[in-house]
Amino acid sequence: MGSLTCRAQGPAASSTKDGVLTGVVVDPSGATVAAATVHVEGHGIERNITTDSTGRFNLSLPAGFYEVIIVSAGFDPYVGTAKIIGQGSVTNLPASLVIATQTEQVDVAADNSSSTSGADNKSATVLKADDIKSLSTDDGTFQQEVLALAGGGDPQQPPQVYVDGFSGGQFPPKNSIREIRINQNPFSAEYSELGFGRIEIFTKPGSNKFHGELNTYGNDDVFNARNPYSGTGPQPPYHSVHFYGNVSGPIGKNTSFFTDGSYNDQLNNSIVNATTLDANLQPVAITETVTNPQTTGYFSAKLDRQWSTNNTFTGHYQFNRASLTNSGIGQLVLPSEGYNSSTTTQTLQLSNTQVIGTKMTNEMHFQYIRTRLQQNPTDTSPTIVVQGAFNGGGSPTQQLHDNQDAYEFQEYFSLEHKTHFFRMGGRYRLYREANLATANYNGQYIFPNITAYQITEAGLQNGASDQTIRATCQQTTTSTSPICGGATQLTITGGQTNASVSTGDLSLYAEDEWKPRKDFTVDLGFRFETQSAIPDHVDPAPRIGLAWAVGQTDKRQPFVVLRTGTGLFYDRFKATNLLTTIRENGVAQLSYTLNNPSSDLYPLTKPSLSSLISSPPTIYQVDPNLRSEYTITSGFTAERALGKKGNISANYLYNRGDRQWLTRNINAPLPGTYIYGDPTSGVRPLGTQQNVYQFASTGITKSNVFFINGHYQATKRINLFAAYVIPAKKSDASGATSFASNQYDPSVDFGRTATSRHRLFSFASLDLPLGISSYTFFSWQGGVPFNITTGTDLNGDTQFNDRPAFATDLTRPSVVRTRFGNFDTSPLPTQTIIPINYGNSPSFVYWELGLSKHVKFGPRPAPEPLAPGTPAPKTPAPKPDPRYDLTFNFEADNVLNHVNPGVPVGVLGSPFFGQSISLNNPFQGNTTASTAANRLISFGTSFTF
């Protein structure tokens, strides 16, 4: 068995631009050395790969100089150097071994050897080309699977996606991706986010020979299983068809290109399950399926140019366009609230990598993302919200023409010096958003339940006055308290429709990966961040990581690698939130909130702004003491190689988040002073009736996360991966735009978040004879907690997120009996409010299965020429594969047709309380026709050359 060792003298593996080192290991006769171990080791990088049956290896490496040592039993070591320029470059290293003059035993790392480098944590998932093929052929499902592997499931902290080293980008098509790295180098100061939850995507570069691919896939309703929540009546037809193609090749000696494009035509169905009133004004449950057409188009062109042996340039342009009809419909939202939208996104990326001497590398990157959104409603009448029953009337978002421009500049430098590997650099991002928005210009009426809405409609039909309607009450089976007519709130906005905002953030970092011993690494880093347009401008973020390879020697792999680290990680305040404070400042745009509005205006007319001028408008502002929210994370990892075939790691993280963002009404009535039903009651601290919504940073978050993951390649034909995550998270803030239920004590909302407590993911691939291959993806997730609310505003803060209390007196008329317990919807001061997210939704099970058949044909390319001076092999080399490959694909999403109910309705008094009215299908979130089917069957074919 042979081995090849490369000691790196360049940047760490986390560099955003990699080249390729390739070569063939042969003996003196020219015969190839198969199954050789290729090991890359150095400051900041350790990589392993095994040569194939032809003795060939291909290894992605960052730009830099490398010392190459090839060792094989019976041969003298081969020593050479190789220089990698950067992304798009290919360095060929033919290696001919010489018979040893004396016996020498040399042990080298196995293919799954352990490393103490920060970028080589085994808790990371690195998906190469073959691994990526093991995931769904549908781009939408593929994206959801990758997000899941990164720990997706927390809506407050979704995984961060980097594309070719840039933030803020979109997932490229699956077939244009070269490699995906997930959860790598968790405590590195190079990144603003914790590595656990970070996704780094690297797209394919140009090639030195012409290659191309054409594929298409799709599905039709005749092959699929019906959504069980779509009712029993006839369903509009639905289908999808997707086309993709790419071509790459050289342009002269030092330039290559890669270009690709796709088009997706989706005829989807949105499903409405709601309760409205029939012609006789009686509540009736409705199920309606509405056609929801969607089309998307994508084009990309990438150019790689090697200016010199030390300088590489990459330019990349992407164009995306998505058009949607009847968006915003489904579950409780009626078709009248639909809107049509069109979004165009263009991205330009420029990168330059320079190798300076043998130990330094400099990288410069620039990105510009231009997004233009056009959205128009299908109905401009006032919005009607009946809590837990339906949302109707016109869309609350109305018209939106939004322009977003995002600029990103990066400069990174790395230097190797003895046992130290230094990285430093900076990033500046500038965001500008300008739009025309008429959200809520049509007005919005809110009713606490379907009974109040029914009384109001009946009274208006009979010509009753507002006083009469509000005095008319009914007893219901869902509550022992009588329910009276009339809307509980009206909100309406007017004034200036245009607004714009700009904000930028700057980050600087320096990091030293110090290896005092071969089995021990210390990673010390410091990051400084600042953002404009908010009060907080100084955000220091120290980071530290330690790794120890227990029992490692020059001839023996460690028994286990132990890692620990801690760091401080900041989030950036979104430009969209700043734009809200500029628009709704009480001058440019006027927004009014009226409690118990007169029924005389409802529903044919809305009040003019001039009639409301006596009421102070609702305003948004940034808390003068707002700070950037941050999380302090500490972690411990134990990882072990499973021989040459795999690895396993166990990980524990403790996270404490402080200064977490939320919104408060700082002029809400003081606790205990507001009388429900009397909008004029309550003592307000500012002395006026004005609602002042303030973005604040007063929340906290605590979480403990344990996860174990492993990868095992049983044979060359069988590849397995699995991960199990147990997150336990509590918080009193659900994001900058979420309101506290108690404006003066947000801590009453401290409790479990709406994330699953158990998540299992696994995928596998299997190569069968006759050109047949199979892949599968499986997920099981525990139920997601959901909030139980009264559907009313009990404290006068204008928010309908108040929770009931545990009932202590079942004879009270405000008591509601449910399968979750007995709740009092009009809590007494002595009663205990139920915890946030008190309910539990059903668990989730998903299994995807895919099969493909390859048919290879056409002429075989000529074998690679041997290096000069290499003798001819004694045995013939294996024949290369034919030039053309025709593949037929079959894929079944949710192959068992298992019904996964969605999160139940949590509004007490709703006809659907505690019931699921939709499917839970996160892995079909972007999949064509996913809302119309429970099981999807897709077919496809591809042709490569």
Side-chain angles (χ1 to χ4, degrees):
M1 176 177 176
S3 63
L4 181 143
T5 301
C6 304
R7 287 189 169 82
Q9 297 178 337
S14 59
S15 173
T16 60
K17 304 298 177 185
D18 286 358
V20 175
L21 176 64
T22 184
V24 178
V25 180
V26 298
D27 64 15
S29 69
T32 58
V33 180
T37 300
V38 180
H39 178 63
V40 177
E41 179 183 349
H43 303 294
I45 185 169
E46 291 186 23
R47 290 288 179 266
N48 306 283
I49 196 172
T50 301
T51 57
D52 60 20
S53 60
T54 65
R56 179 171 295 280
F57 64 90
N58 290 280
L59 190 63
S60 296
L61 295 170
F65 278 88
Y66 294 84
E67 179 187 6
V68 181
I69 304 174
I70 304 174
V71 180
S72 183
F75 298 96
D76 282 335
Y78 169 90
V79 179
T81 59
K83 180 169 66 175
I84 308 298
I85 303 302
Q87 184 175 22
S89 68
V90 178
T91 301
N92 186 43
L93 182 68
S96 180
L97 304 182
V98 178
I99 299 294
T101 57
Q102 61 181 12
T103 302
E104 180 180 7
Q105 179 64 39
V106 179
D107 294 327
V108 297
D111 187 40
N112 281 282
S113 62
S114 300
S115 162
T116 57
S117 170
D120 285 332
N121 56 304
K122 299 302 182 183
S123 56
T125 301
V126 180
L127 303 178
K128 302 289 187 178
D130 289 341
D131 301 313
I132 294 173
K133 291 179 181 178
S134 302
L135 300 175
S136 176
T137 57
D138 180 272
D139 281 335
T141 304
F142 164 74
Q143 293 175 21
Q144 300 303 316
E145 291 172 345
V146 173
L147 291 171
L149 295 174
D154 186 348
Q156 291 180 244
Q157 294 180 318
Q160 300 298 308
V161 179
Y162 287 78
V163 180
D164 288 330
F166 294 100
S167 63
Q170 299 179 352
F171 262 86
K174 171 187 172 182
N175 290 21
S176 68
I177 297 175
R178 170 175 61 88
E179 181 176 311
I180 301 176
R181 300 172 187 170
I182 303 173
N183 300 340
Q184 191 176 57
N185 207 356
F187 296 100
S188 172
E190 182 178 349
Y191 299 93
S192 55
E193 306 88 1
L194 178 70
F196 296 113
R198 185 176 64 241
I199 300 172
E200 299 173 74
I201 297 175
F202 301 89
T203 57
K204 294 178 180 177
S207 56
N208 57 3
K209 294 183 179 180
F210 285 101
H211 296 282
E213 176 183 5
L214 295 172
N215 75 50
T216 180
Y217 64 84
N219 64 72
D220 193 90
D221 55 8
V222 298
F223 301 108
N224 302 329
R226 183 169 182 156
N227 185 331
Y229 294 97
S230 63
T232 58
Q235 194 173 212
Y238 62 90
H239 67 266
S240 74
V241 60
H242 178 89
F243 301 95
Y244 173 82
N246 69 56
V247 62
S248 64
I251 304 176
K253 182 179 179 181
N254 298 319
T255 307
S256 62
F257 73 93
F258 180 91
T259 182
D260 65 328
S262 67
Y263 177 78
N264 196 19
D265 183 7
Q266 312 174 21
L267 184 59
N268 192 14
N269 289 335
S270 296
I271 299 172
V272 175
N273 280 291
T275 295
T276 60
L277 301 180
D278 62 15
N280 298 318
L281 301 183
Q282 295 301 310
V284 58
I286 64 168
T287 298
E288 187 174 357
T289 303
V290 182
T291 301
N292 174 217
Q294 307 173 21
T295 60
T296 58
Y298 167 87
F299 171 77
S300 170
K302 190 174 186 180
L303 189 72
D304 299 295
R305 169 71 177 179
Q306 185 172 330
W307 294 113
S308 68
T309 57
N310 298 322
N311 193 319
T312 299
F313 168 82
T314 298
H316 194 185
Y317 171 78
Q318 300 174 66
F319 176 91
N320 290 271
R321 182 178 177 84
S323 298
L324 297 87
T325 304
N326 289 334
S327 290
I329 300 171
Q331 301 185 42
L332 297 177
V333 181
L334 303 182
S336 62
E337 281 206 14
Y339 57 84
N340 304 325
S341 67
S342 174
T343 304
T344 301
T345 302
Q346 300 180 76
T347 303
L348 175 66
Q349 297 174 341
L350 304 175
S351 299
N352 179 249
T353 302
Q354 301 178 58
V355 177
I356 306 170
T358 61
K359 299 181 181 296
M360 294 181 290
T361 301
N362 189 70
E363 300 179 34
M364 295 178 290
H365 310 293
F366 167 76
Q367 175 180 256
Y368 169 54
I369 301 178
R370 181 181 189 270
T371 303
R372 298 295 183 263
L373 167 66
Q374 300 284 327
Q375 177 182 303
N376 296 289
T378 58
D379 190 327
T380 59
S381 64
T383 301
I384 303 170
V385 176
V386 180
Q387 295 285 346
F390 75 88
N391 294 5
S395 169
T397 59
Q398 289 298 290
Q399 188 181 52
L400 175 62
H401 296 173
D402 188 62
N403 297 340
Q404 298 181 26
D405 298 278
Y407 303 86
E408 183 171 344
F409 304 86
Q410 300 176 7
E411 179 89 18
Y412 297 134
F413 177 79
S414 62
L415 168 67
E416 180 195 4
H417 179 68
K418 297 182 179 179
T419 59
H420 297 267
F421 186 77
F422 300 99
R423 291 186 292 266
M424 62 198 72
R427 180 186 70 184
Y428 177 72
R429 297 183 297 187
L430 174 65
Y431 300 93
R432 181 183 185 275
E433 184 173 4
N435 61 33
L436 179 153
T438 61
N440 201 37
Y441 273 52
N442 57 330
Q444 176 175 275
Y445 291 88
I446 299 179
F447 293 83
N449 47 56
I450 191 65
T451 303
Y453 176 69
Q454 179 189 25
I455 294 172
T456 305
E457 288 286 349
L460 291 173
Q461 184 172 304
N462 295 326
S465 66
D466 177 66
Q467 184 177 2
T468 301
I469 290 173
R470 294 189 179 277
T472 304
C473 305
Q474 291 183 12
Q475 202 73 36
T476 67
T477 58
T478 59
S479 175
T480 57
S481 178
I483 296 175
C484 304
T488 54
Q489 187 181 97
L490 164 66
T491 60
I492 186 170
T493 303
Q496 184 177 324
T497 60
N498 298 310
S500 64
V501 68
S502 295
T503 181
D505 64 78
L506 172 69
S507 59
L508 304 172
Y509 86 96
E511 189 169 28
D512 176 19
E513 189 167 310
W514 174 40
K515 202 164 189 177
R517 301 186 327 203
K518 185 175 182 179
D519 63 346
F520 192 78
T521 298
V522 180
D523 200 331
L524 298 173
F526 182 81
R527 187 178 182 90
F528 175 84
E529 298 182 5
T530 184
Q531 181 180 356
S532 65
I534 64 173
D536 184 12
H537 301 299
V538 180
D539 298 326
R543 314 275 175 85
I544 184 172
L546 305 173
W548 177 31
V550 181
Q552 177 176 319
T553 67
D554 290 338
K555 297 184 178 182
R556 185 177 61 191
Q557 286 296 298
F559 171 74
V560 66
V561 175
L562 302 178
R563 300 179 186 272
T564 187
T566 188
L568 194 151
F569 303 86
Y570 289 92
D571 292 326
R572 294 293 114 216
F573 199 67
K574 292 184 179 180
T576 302
N577 298 330
L578 294 171
L579 187 61
T580 299
T581 65
I582 293 173
R583 171 175 278 110
E584 299 187 40
N585 60 4
V587 178
Q589 196 172 85
L590 304 177
S591 180
Y592 294 95
T593 300
L594 302 181
N595 291 326
N596 295 340
S598 173
S599 302
D600 298 334
L601 298 174
Y602 171 83
L604 300 178
T605 61
K606 61 182 181 181
S608 63
L609 293 181
S610 59
S611 67
L612 301 174
I613 200 67
S614 59
S615 303
T618 298
I619 64 173
Y620 272 87
Q621 59 183 219
V622 173
D623 184 349
N625 297 314
L626 181 86
R627 296 294 182 265
S628 299
E629 67 177 11
Y630 66 83
T631 301
I632 299 176
T633 299
S634 300
F636 179 82
T637 297
E639 56 191 42
R640 178 174 170 81
L642 302 176
K644 300 179 181 179
K645 296 186 176 182
N647 54 73
I648 188 171
S649 72
N651 311 267
Y652 169 76
L653 295 175
Y654 174 74
N655 304 285
R656 179 185 171 91
D658 286 305
R659 302 176 180 173
Q660 301 297 291
W661 293 320
L662 72 158
T663 302
R664 295 174 52 231
N665 184 349
I666 64 171
N667 197 35
L670 294 173
T673 65
Y674 179 78
I675 301 173
Y676 177 65
D678 182 2
T680 63
S681 64
V683 177
R684 296 178 181 250
L686 300 184
T688 69
Q689 293 295 309
Q690 185 175 39
N691 293 301
V692 180
Y693 299 157
Q694 192 174 84
F695 291 113
S697 53
T698 58
I700 62 171
T701 296
K702 297 179 182 179
S703 68
N704 293 274
V705 182
F706 173 79
F707 64 99
I708 183 170
N709 67 307
H711 173 250
Y712 191 74
Q713 181 137 16
T715 70
K716 290 184 177 180
R717 294 178 176 271
I718 303 176
N719 192 19
L720 307 171
F721 171 87
Y724 180 55
V725 187
I726 307 176
K729 182 177 181 180
K730 291 185 176 182
S731 178
D732 59 11
S734 299
T737 58
S738 66
F739 279 83
S741 65
N742 185 329
Q743 307 303 323
Y744 297 99
D745 186 10
S747 65
V748 301
D749 293 333
F750 186 79
R752 59 181 187 168
T753 60
T755 56
S756 172
R757 286 291 303 271
H758 300 274
R759 300 199 290 268
L760 172 67
F761 308 103
S762 67
F763 70 87
S765 61
L766 172 64
D767 291 333
L768 301 170
L770 304 177
I772 299 175
S773 59
S774 171
Y775 59 89
T776 183
F777 183 95
F778 176 82
S779 175
W780 172 82
Q781 301 181 37
V784 174
F786 69 94
N787 205 20
I788 297 177
T789 62
T790 63
T792 55
D793 177 15
L794 296 174
N795 53 17
D797 61 0
T798 72
Q799 301 304 308
F800 290 78
N801 58 0
D802 298 324
R803 299 189 300 278
F806 291 110
T808 55
D809 182 358
L810 299 182
T811 64
R812 295 194 74 211
S814 54
V815 171
V816 178
R817 295 174 172 84
T818 76
R819 63 185 177 92
F820 299 96
N822 299 322
F823 305 126
D824 197 324
T825 58
S826 181
L828 297 171
T830 57
Q831 291 179 321
T832 301
I833 303 297
I834 70 171
I836 194 169
N837 295 321
Y838 187 69
N840 287 302
S841 61
S843 59
F844 170 82
V845 177
Y846 172 85
W847 183 23
E848 174 195 66
L849 177 65
L851 293 170
S852 61
K853 165 65 177 175
H854 296 267
V855 180
K856 299 182 179 182
F857 61 96
R860 298 178 184 270
E864 293 287 340
L866 297 175
T870 301
K874 295 181 178 180
T875 58
K879 294 182 179 180
D881 285 337
R883 181 176 180 83
Y884 306 115
D885 186 345
L886 180 63
T887 304
F888 300 93
N889 300 306
F890 164 85
E891 182 173 293
D893 290 286
N894 192 19
V895 63
L896 298 180
N897 198 28
H898 179 78
V899 176
N900 291 296
V903 176
V905 175
V907 180
L908 287 169
S910 167
F912 303 106
F913 174 75
Q915 302 177 37
S916 300
I917 60 174
S918 65
L919 285 174
N920 176 21
N921 50 2
F923 295 112
Q924 297 177 354
N926 295 321
T927 303
T928 304
S930 61
T931 54
N934 190 50
R935 177 177 59 206
L936 275 173
I937 304 296
S938 302
F939 300 91
T941 184
S942 65
F943 173 72
T944 59
F945 61 90

